[in-house]
Structure formats: structure tokens, C-alpha cells
Amino acid sequence: MTDNNNNNSAISSSHPKTVLTYGTFDLFHIGHLKMLQRLKAMGDKLIVAVSTDEFNALKGKRSVYSYEERAAIIAALSCVDLVIPEQSWEQKAQDIQQYQVDIFGIGSDWKGKFDELADLCQVVYLDRTPSISTTEVKRALSNLDSDKIKQIKDGLDSVLSIVKAIE
Ligand code: C2G
């Protein structure tokens, strides 16, 4: 009996506590990083399923960076141990079983959406980082462009008015 217990403890200690999450991770920002770091802190191994461009289309998203670029950025993070493609809504249960996942974690914007996975592993919803999102980053970039263009145009207009004045 004792040996068996020892065997069990030996088996459980050899299996790294595995955390799994999913996302698009476009225009990678601090909200994404904090989420991944907090998820990694919950276990020993973090697997991130990055949405493919095709699956993004199903989600109604068109990312600036391609799947390959987004996956490469995520894979380069020290807190990430494995990157896999997210190709469908339905793959989560199979991924959890295939990778012997202990915890499925995702942002609070998905709260309640994946509760059915609690039959397979612990399900956690972590608060999102406020006031940052890929949409915000896109908006800031587009505003920057228009602000910059207006600044340059104003400068040219004043030069033009000086030229006209001395003609
Ligand atoms: N996130 C966050 N704080 C933010 C923005 C995002 O914590 N300010 C989290 C999200 O809650 C999510 C992860 O970062 O857990 C990735 O966010 P997205 O790239 O927007 O991914 P999403 O579209 O939510 O994809 O099957 C699940 C989907 O693929 C999740």
C-alpha cells in the first residue's frame, strides 16, 4: 500500500502542473503579457493556443500580424513553454486531455463561457488588465497618423503663407 502511495506521489511529481490558455494575441501588449505571466505562476508549464488567421476570421477578427508572427512572439516569451495553433472552438477538450492540462485559464471577458471544461480540469477566469486592448493600440496608431499628418500640413500651410506674402 505504502509503495503504491509512493508510486502515485512519484507519478504526480513527474507531471508538471500544466496550464492552458487560448487567444489571438495581436499587436502584443502589456495586457497579454500580464495574463500569460499570471497563468504561468499558477503552474509549472504554460501552453498557449494561438488563434490561426482562419480561426480569427471565424471569431470575426482580422489581425495585423499573421499567425506565424503572433505565434513566434508568444513562443519567445520566457513564461511560455509551448505554442499550439487554435483552429476551432471545439478543440479545447481534446487539447486538455492530450496535454494532461491541470488548469484552463482565460480572461474574465470569457467568464462562464468555458465552464463545461470543469469536468476535465480546473477552470479559471482572470481579470483583464484595464484600459489596454488591441483595438486601443490600433486606434492610438491611427490617431497618431492623422495627428502627425495635421501637424505636417499646418507646417506646410504656414510656409506657403510666408512664400505668398513675399511674392
Ligand atoms: N487580455 C487581458 N487584458 C487585456 C486584453 C486581453 O488580460 N487588456 C487577455 C484576454 O482576456 C485573453 C488574452 O489576453 O485571455 C488574449 O486576448 P485576445 O488576444 O483578445 O484573445 P481572445 O480574442 O479573447 O481569444 O477560444 C478563446 C479565444 O481564442 C480567446
Side-chain angles (χ1 to χ4, degrees):
M1 193 61 171
T2 315
D3 284 357
N4 190 23
N5 283 344
N6 284 342
N7 280 343
N8 284 342
S9 60
I11 292 166
S12 60
S13 62
S14 67
H15 168 66
K17 191 171 184 183
T18 302
V19 185
L20 171 63
T21 191
Y22 294 75
T24 298
F25 298 102
D26 191 27
L27 299 179
F28 194 76
H29 56 68
I30 193 66
H32 294 141
L33 181 61
K34 284 183 174 177
M35 174 57 68
L36 296 179
Q37 288 176 326
R38 285 153 65 203
L39 287 169
K40 178 59 179 282
M42 298 182 80
D44 307 307
K45 180 179 177 184
L46 175 60
I47 302 174
V48 183
V50 176
S51 311
T52 61
D53 297 329
E54 295 75 15
F55 182 58
N56 258 351
L58 287 180
K59 291 199 291 187
K61 283 189 163 186
R62 200 160 70 81
S63 56
V64 172
Y65 293 152
S66 68
Y67 165 73
E68 290 71 22
E69 290 165 328
R70 290 179 286 112
I73 291 168
I74 299 296
L77 299 174
S78 56
C79 65
V80 174
D81 299 284
L82 176 65
V83 173
I84 60 174
E86 180 185 27
Q87 297 164 298
S88 72
W89 291 112
E90 298 75 24
Q91 73 180 75
K92 293 183 177 68
Q94 184 196 328
D95 290 345
I96 287 167
Q97 287 157 335
Q98 179 179 343
Y99 295 100
Q100 296 178 284
V101 169
D102 301 283
I103 302 172
F104 165 87
I106 199 162
S108 49
D109 41 326
W110 293 93
K111 193 164 181 56
K113 297 287 193 309
F114 303 116
D115 290 354
E116 76 282 1
L117 298 175
D119 297 339
L120 302 169
C121 67
Q122 185 187 351
V123 175
V124 295
Y125 300 100
L126 301 181
D127 289 343
R128 283 168 63 96
T129 301
S131 68
I132 180 77
S133 68
T134 303
T135 310
E136 283 293 317
V137 173
K138 284 180 184 173
R139 189 175 299 128
L141 289 174
S142 60
N143 289 345
L144 181 64
D145 283 349
S146 53
D147 290 351
K148 196 75 188 153
I149 290 166
K150 185 177 180 314
Q151 198 182 356
I152 293 166
K153 186 180 174 308
D154 292 349
L156 288 173
D157 287 349
S158 54
V159 169
L160 207 56
S161 57
I162 292 165
V163 168
K164 281 182 179 164
I166 57 177
E167 273 178 334

